């Protein structure tokens, strides 16, 4: 794993100089905006004890195809995708043919 400047680890696997292998990273925890915020926004996604990325970094990684992300809860996989909402881009899980808010049920990182 590659250490990031913010202390998290990069889920991408470095193969050789300048070449990365796409990783399907499992998200097990999130960080949320301040509880006084008017909506429940996710600020970071991570894998407990392994890596922690900002939401913006995850969105960029998904959009440029460098990584995919998913959740696995009770044996059910939810692929994480980018949604372009009225207040900008955000991440949601897509499972059973529909977008849902499963990320909000994950524990805090």
């Amino acid at each position: 794993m590659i250490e990031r400047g913010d202390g998290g680890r990069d889920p991408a696997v470095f193969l050789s100089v300048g070449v990365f292998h796409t990783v399907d990273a499992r998200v097990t925890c999130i960080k949320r905006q301040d509880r006084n915020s008017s909506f429940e926004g996710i600020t970071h996604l991570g894998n407990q004890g392994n890596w922690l990325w900002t939401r913006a970094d995850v969105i960029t990684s998904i959009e440029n195809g460098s990584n995919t992300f998913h959740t696995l809860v009770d044996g059910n996989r939810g692929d994480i995708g980018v949604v372009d909402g009225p207040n900008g881009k955000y991440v949601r899980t897509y499972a059973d043919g529909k977008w849902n808010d499963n990320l909000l049920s994950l524990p805090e990182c």
Side-chain angles (χ1 to χ4, degrees), residues 63-79:
E63 289 184 331
N64 69 22
S66 59
N67 292 297
T68 59
F69 298 84
H70 70 278
T71 59
L72 189 62
V73 178
D74 298 327
N76 296 314
R77 180 188 171 100
D79 292 314

Side-chain angles (χ1 to χ4, degrees), residues 3-47:
E3 292 291 331
R4 292 171 44 91
D6 60 7
R9 291 186 202 149
D10 190 332
V13 178
F14 192 68
L15 296 177
S16 64
V17 178
V19 178
F20 285 86
H21 172 70
T22 300
V23 172
D24 185 30
R26 182 175 169 196
V27 174
T28 63
C29 61
I30 60 168
K31 284 193 174 192
R32 301 173 192 231
Q33 281 188 309
D34 181 354
R35 294 286 182 199
N36 296 324
S37 176
S38 60
F39 65 97
E40 289 187 283
I42 295 171
T43 61
H44 294 77
L45 295 91
N47 184 289

